[in-house]
Amino acid sequence: MGLAGLKVMLVEDHGFQRRLGLRLLADLGLDHLHEAADGYQALDLLRGMPEPPDVVLVDLDMPGMDGVEFIGIVAQEKLAHSIAVVSAMEPALLHTVQVMAKASGLRVLGCIEKPLTPGKLTTVLSLYESAPGPAIAAAEVEVTLEQARTALSRGEVTAWFQPQAEFGNGKIVGVEALARWRLADGRMVPPVAFVPLMEAGGLVDELTSLMLVQACAWSKRWQARGLDLKVSVNVSAQNLTGPEVADRYEAILREHGVSPERIVLEITESSVMSDTARGLGMLARLRLKGFGLSVDDFGTGYSSLSQLSQIPFTELKIDRGFVAGAPTQPRKRAMIETSLDLARKLGLAVVAEGVETIEEWQLLAQLGCDYAQGYLISAPVPGEQLPDAIQRWRQTQL
């Protein structure tokens, strides 16, 4: 699309600063520009727009409604695709705003310190170009619970796989199975649009079983081609309901002739902790049967260390939110160092998610992380394309 095609709104209470900002944006070739003097005026304008702007530039320190409250409402009502914060802001507060916005599918492009300059604006706006946010993709496809049920029964939901590489030698040692749903017209339904729907509609057990079945089937095919890989499958807290679940998962593996040692079950940190007593017994049984157990998205939930130490986990996954930008953000680096230190003490392997740059790879390798997963290595691919994706990675020079 190029910067010129972006629709941008600038929210700034200071008249002179606002006019200056608009002039700089116009000089960059942007002609879809909107302005507002405060949060209330901005919300009125946004609610009246036929489609949301691509980027809202907002000052955090505004009279009446501050920028944090404004961003919260924009995220909740999906009034924009992304935002960028215009003010000097300490990293901890920026991270809080990012987490808050991300939870609602709103991208935070980052921070621009005043005074505004063409260079600073170009840098932050080009981030929008580099990877359109999940909110855009999700808005394009709306699906119902009935469609989701039909898609599961017709086999339209399939597992794609994202490789995990060892930091020591770059070798691919495992993959994560990720649910992908392609509609009859070829459009993909993003997981953010269908996974919560399936969880709310009681279909998540069926989805997990389907992912396990496909993980086992592909594992056998890859093994026949000489690829010996562990496969991680996501498990929702709703799956961990009764003692029979462990037996059912084991039965699926036995049917395919796959050993539980080859399968890692990823459990989101916040969901484990919400119902510890029931979940603990279930996780203990799965571990006894030989399944690997992984704490997914570590650091984004509200776990206590005592609960973490009670559960027989074998692996910890560092959330992509801490990995992105860690080479230049000391707080993110500190979170990673602490997680690695904790994992070592608990005897857990560590996978870093969302590794996208060579700088991130080098930092994590230097800090002693075990495995990397992310677009630097490969995007998720259908099972038949995995050997080619691994071959491409082998030829990559880091």
Side-chain angles (χ1 to χ4, degrees):
M1 157 162 68
L3 284 190
L6 286 181
K7 294 186 278 295
V8 177
M9 174 182 277
L10 177 63
V11 189
E12 164 65 69
D13 63 288
H14 194 288
F16 173 74
Q17 296 276 9
R18 190 168 66 255
R19 285 193 297 278
L20 175 68
L22 288 167
R23 198 178 75 227
L24 290 171
L25 289 164
D27 288 348
L28 292 175
L30 281 87
D31 49 11
H32 304 290
L33 297 174
H34 304 271
E35 59 176 301
D38 60 34
Y40 298 109
Q41 188 188 356
L43 289 174
D44 283 346
L45 286 169
L46 288 167
R47 287 174 180 139
M49 284 184 184
E51 55 182 65
D54 299 307
V55 187
V56 174
L57 297 164
V58 59
D59 192 341
L60 282 193
D61 187 18
M62 296 187 295
M65 177 191 292
D66 66 53
V68 176
E69 186 185 353
F70 171 74
I71 291 165
I73 296 168
V74 169
Q76 203 178 335
E77 297 184 25
K78 302 198 180 342
L79 297 174
H81 293 319
S82 70
I83 55 149
V85 175
V86 183
S87 57
M89 184 181 178
E90 60 184 73
L93 184 55
L94 177 61
H95 182 67
T96 305
V97 172
Q98 281 176 321
V99 171
M100 174 187 83
K102 189 174 138 192
S104 315
L106 177 68
R107 281 184 74 208
V108 180
L109 298 181
C111 226
I112 315 176
E113 288 195 24
K114 290 181 175 176
L116 292 178
T117 65
K120 289 177 189 173
L121 285 167
T122 304
T123 302
V124 83
L125 293 175
S126 59
L127 287 174
Y128 182 84
E129 289 291 279
S130 60
I136 303 165
E140 288 170 3
V141 187
E142 287 198 4
V143 286
T144 63
L145 184 61
E146 206 40 60
Q147 282 174 292
R149 189 175 280 115
T150 309
L152 279 172
S153 62
R154 284 187 186 160
E156 290 172 12
V157 179
T158 57
W160 286 29
F161 301 91
Q162 188 168 33
Q164 298 172 339
E166 211 171 332
F167 275 107
N169 55 21
K171 186 180 177 214
I172 301 296
V173 290
V175 291
E176 179 182 354
L178 297 156
R180 292 292 182 264
W181 175 5
R182 191 189 294 277
L183 295 172
D185 61 11
R187 286 183 304 161
M188 299 295 284
V189 185
V192 68
F194 72 82
V195 174
L197 184 73
M198 288 182 175
E199 286 187 332
L203 297 176
V204 75
D205 215 29
E206 206 178 319
L207 177 67
T208 305
S209 298
L210 175 75
M211 288 297 107
L212 261 180
V213 166
Q214 294 199 14
C216 290
W218 278 109
S219 173
K220 292 295 282 185
R221 277 186 232 177
W222 297 325
Q223 216 173 351
R225 291 191 58 169
L227 284 175
D228 189 17
L229 304 169
K230 280 194 170 188
V231 187
S232 299
V233 177
N234 291 286
V235 175
S236 161
Q238 293 179 27
N239 295 118
L240 308 174
T241 45
E244 77 289 342
V245 172
D247 296 328
R248 197 166 76 244
Y249 288 178
E250 187 184 38
I252 291 173
L253 269 62
R254 199 180 300 118
E255 212 174 292
H256 288 82
V258 173
S259 150
E261 279 76 14
R262 303 179 66 80
I263 302 291
V264 178
L265 302 175
E266 291 192 11
I267 296 110
T268 305
E269 178 194 353
S270 45
S271 71
V272 176
M273 308 308 164
S274 60
D275 193 352
T276 312
R278 187 176 62 181
L280 263 176
M282 176 61 45
L283 293 166
R285 291 202 68 215
L286 286 164
R287 187 71 200 103
L288 278 172
K289 290 177 184 294
F291 286 93
L293 296 179
S294 178
V295 194
D296 197 11
D297 298 339
F298 182 71
T300 60
Y302 300 96
S303 66
S304 76
L305 293 182
S306 62
Q307 286 173 317
L308 197 58
S309 63
Q310 288 164 7
I311 298 169
F313 285 116
T314 55
E315 178 185 280
L316 180 150
K317 290 192 90 171
I318 297 175
D319 182 63
R320 67 189 64 241
F322 297 114
V323 172
T328 57
Q329 295 181 36
R331 278 172 182 269
K332 288 189 176 184
R333 180 182 168 137
M335 277 297 299
I336 293 171
E337 285 176 339
T338 306
S339 303
L340 288 168
D341 192 37
L342 176 66
R344 273 184 216 111
K345 287 174 177 161
L346 294 176
L348 308 179
V350 182
V351 180
E353 287 190 292
V355 178
E356 294 188 5
T357 67
I358 289 172
E359 290 74 23
E360 287 163 3
W361 172 282
Q362 287 169 338
L363 173 69
L364 288 154
Q366 179 195 328
L367 294 177
C369 189
D370 301 301
Y371 308 107
Q373 179 180 336
Y375 279 70
L376 177 68
I377 300 150
S378 169
V381 293
E384 65 274 10
Q385 292 176 23
L386 186 74
D388 289 343
I390 292 175
Q391 193 52 39
R392 275 195 303 277
W393 164 247
R394 282 187 184 140
Q395 290 161 357
T396 305
Q397 294 297 311
L398 281 179

